[in-house]
Every structure is written in structure tokens, then in C-alpha cells.
């Protein structure tokens, strides 16, 4: 009897802790709608086709958004946005971004903003990036260290070092405790930018003094600089 009573109390306490964990973890990968598999329904598919067809006609596009997009179920709206992100449809993504943030079910979410920023980085859209970043700061969204690393690396790979370093400064000021792996991801992406890499390397060694960084050969830095010079000359020509 006493054993069953103890087990029952332990189970109840565990369940209570689990409930509190769920309520406190709005951006948990297992809970976020932005991390679930996004399957587009028939109505979502029709809306996606309509948006692409009308995007060059502002008047008809606005009418279509009011009459069709606002009627979409949450799952379809999320799926359409994800598909447009995959297709690099920046204009339509920004339209849906604004719509999503006005929905009654919307909650600020790390993964929602991560996907938007990565899509904008791929398309080198600096102004839209600044706007989205300001929105997430207003909403109090906090990235974890791994997400910071992924976003910064994407901006570096897309040749947006200034924007990448701005986000890096936000990462350094984050209340999240620093982790070594995101720093290593960023340092690898900074190989074409030796001066910026030295700055991040100094930060890394200050935070993790017992760790070692394996620098690439010096000729790799030179090859990257020569490649950048060639690209700049081609742009000027």
C-alpha cells in the first residue's frame, strides 16, 4: 500500500513538472509549429499558386490576400510560407511574414525568425534582414547559441560579413552561456576574412582558454584573398 502510494505521488509530481516544462518552453523543437513537418493541403496549394500568379499586380494581390490568404488554416499558412522560403520568393515571404505575425495564434518563436533570416541571407537582402531583426528584438525572441552559429555562418557563406558580425555581437551579448561548437562553426566560415577571424578567435580563446584552434595554412588565406580580389575586379569591369 505504501509503495503504491509513493509511486502515485512520484508520478503526479513528475507529470506536474512536465506540464510546467511545456508551458515554459515556447520554442522547444518538439513544440514549435515551425519545426514540424509542413504538409500543404489543397487549399494551401491553390493559395500558393494564386500568390505567385498575382505578385506583380499589387491591387489584385491585396484583394486575393484579404479574400483567400486570411482564410487559410494555420497549418496551411505555415506550409505556404515554408515553401516560399524554399523557393527564395522573398517578396511573398515578407508578405506572409506580416500576415503570420498578425494571426491570433501567433507566438514569437526562435525557429520562425531563424528560417526568415536564413532565407534573407541566401538572397542577400540586407534591408529586410534589418527589419526582421528589429521585430524579433521588440518581441523579445532569444536565439540559443547553436542557432546563432547557424545564422552567422549562413550570412558568411552568402558573403555578407558585415551583417554576420553584427549578429555575432548580438550573440556575444546574449544571456545564453557560450558554447565552443558555434564559435568553431563561425571561425570556419570566417576563413575568407582573416581580420574578422582574428577578432573572433581572440574572443574564443578568452572564453575557452584551455581549448585549441587549428588554423588553416596561410596559403589558404592568400587564395581566398586573391579570389575576392578577382571577384571585385569582375564587378568593377
Amino acid at each position: 500500500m505504501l509503495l503504491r502510494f509513493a509511486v502515485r505521488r512520484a508520478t503526479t509530481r513528475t507529470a506536474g513538472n512536465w506540464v510546467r516544462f511545456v508551458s515554459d518552453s515556447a520554442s522547444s523543437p518538439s513544440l514549435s509549429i515551425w519545426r514540424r513537418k509542413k504538409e500543404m493541403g489543397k487549399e494551401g496549394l491553390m493559395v500558393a499558386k494564386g500568390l505567385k500568379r498575382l505578385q506583380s499586380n499589387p491591387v489584385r494581390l491585396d484583394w486575393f490576400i484579404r479574400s483567400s490568404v486570411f482564410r487559410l488554416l494555420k497549418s496551411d499558412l505555415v506550409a505556404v510560407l515554408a515553401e516560399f522560403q524554399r523557393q527564395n520568393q522573398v517578396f511573398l515571404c515578407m508578405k506572409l511574414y506580416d500576415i503570420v505575425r498578425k494571426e491570433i495564434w501567433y507566438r514569437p518563436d526562435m525557429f520562425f525568425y531563424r528560417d526568415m533570416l536564413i532565407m534573407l541571407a541566401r538572397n542577400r537582402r540586407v534591408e529586410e534582414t534589418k527589419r526582421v531583426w528589429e521585430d524579433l528584438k521588440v518581441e523579445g525572441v532569444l536565439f540559443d547559441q547553436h542557432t546563432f552559429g547557424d545564422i552567422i555562418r549562413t550570412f558568411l557563406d552568402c558573403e555578407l560579413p558585415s551583417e554576420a558580425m553584427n549578429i555575432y555581437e548580438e550573440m556575444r551579448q546574449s544571456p545564453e552561456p557560450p558554447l565552443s561548437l558555434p564559435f568553431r562553426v563561425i571561425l570556419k566560415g570566417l576563413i575568407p576574412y582573416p581580420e574578422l577571424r582574428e577578432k573572433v578567435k581572440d574572443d574564443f580563446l578568452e572564453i575557452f582558454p584551455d581549448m585549441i584552434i587549428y588554423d588553416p595554412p596561410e596559403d589558404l588565406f592568400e587564395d581566398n584573398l586573391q579570389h575576392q580580389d578577382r571577384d571585385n575586379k569582375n564587378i568593377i569591369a
Side-chain angles (χ1 to χ4, degrees):
M1 176 68 73
L2 288 175
L3 179 59
R4 285 200 300 271
F5 178 72
V7 170
R8 190 180 302 115
R9 287 194 60 183
T11 304
T12 303
R13 186 166 56 250
T14 302
N17 289 340
W18 183 81
V19 170
R20 285 194 295 275
F21 172 78
V22 169
S23 64
D24 292 340
S25 303
S27 293
S28 170
S30 62
L31 300 173
S32 173
I33 60 173
W34 306 102
R35 300 304 296 161
R36 299 174 190 166
K37 187 176 182 181
K38 303 172 183 67
E39 295 183 356
M40 197 183 304
K42 185 181 296 185
E43 188 170 358
L45 184 60
M46 292 175 60
V47 166
K49 290 180 178 179
L51 288 170
K52 291 181 72 174
R53 185 177 70 252
L54 299 173
Q55 62 179 311
S56 59
N57 188 324
V59 175
R60 293 187 64 192
L61 179 63
D62 287 343
W63 175 85
F64 184 77
I65 288 173
R66 290 194 301 271
S67 63
S68 299
V69 176
F70 284 120
R71 294 171 49 196
L72 283 178
L73 296 174
K74 174 170 67 174
S75 58
D76 273 332
L77 183 54
V78 170
V80 173
L81 176 56
E83 179 59 21
F84 283 164
Q85 288 171 340
R86 188 187 68 82
Q87 296 179 16
N88 294 315
Q89 296 280 347
V90 177
F91 173 74
L92 293 177
C93 282
M94 294 305 295
K95 282 285 186 182
L96 293 183
Y97 166 81
D98 288 333
I99 292 170
V100 165
R101 294 179 67 239
K102 294 174 183 176
E103 290 288 328
I104 192 171
W105 48 261
Y106 170 75
R107 298 292 182 274
D109 190 291
M110 174 179 81
F111 299 107
F112 168 65
Y113 279 105
R114 188 203 74 159
D115 294 345
M116 284 299 300
L117 289 169
I118 287 178
M119 181 276 300
L120 292 171
R122 286 201 307 266
N123 293 276
R124 307 184 72 179
R125 302 296 287 265
V126 174
E127 290 306 313
E128 289 88 343
T129 295
K130 292 178 180 177
R131 179 188 157 196
V132 170
W133 193 266
E134 286 302 315
D135 288 341
L136 75 88
K137 291 185 72 174
V138 169
E139 293 184 353
V141 174
L142 294 176
F143 290 132
D144 62 34
Q145 293 289 293
H146 290 293
T147 301
F148 264 121
D150 292 342
I151 294 172
I152 294 168
R153 178 62 185 271
T154 302
F155 275 83
L156 291 172
D157 290 346
C158 296
E159 300 180 350
L160 294 170
S162 178
E163 288 69 28
M165 293 306 291
N166 288 338
I167 298 174
Y168 171 74
E169 291 303 323
E170 296 281 350
M171 172 181 165
R172 293 285 285 117
Q173 298 171 21
S174 171
E176 290 280 324
L179 301 173
S180 62
L181 181 57
F183 272 90
R184 293 187 183 279
V185 169
I186 296 167
L187 285 166
K188 189 171 183 181
L190 282 170
I191 289 176
Y193 310 100
E195 292 183 3
L196 296 178
R197 190 175 188 275
E198 283 301 310
K199 177 187 183 307
V200 176
K201 179 181 174 182
D202 290 343
D203 291 342
F204 176 88
L205 293 176
E206 180 182 349
I207 299 169
F208 306 104
D210 297 329
M211 293 191 177
I212 298 174
I213 296 177
Y214 294 97
D215 289 321
E218 290 186 7
D219 57 351
L220 183 57
F221 285 113
E222 294 174 0
D223 289 344
N224 278 293
L225 290 173
Q226 290 174 4
H227 177 71
Q228 287 182 340
D229 289 340
R230 286 196 299 270
D231 288 345
N232 291 335
K233 288 178 182 178
N234 291 333
I235 292 173
I236 294 173

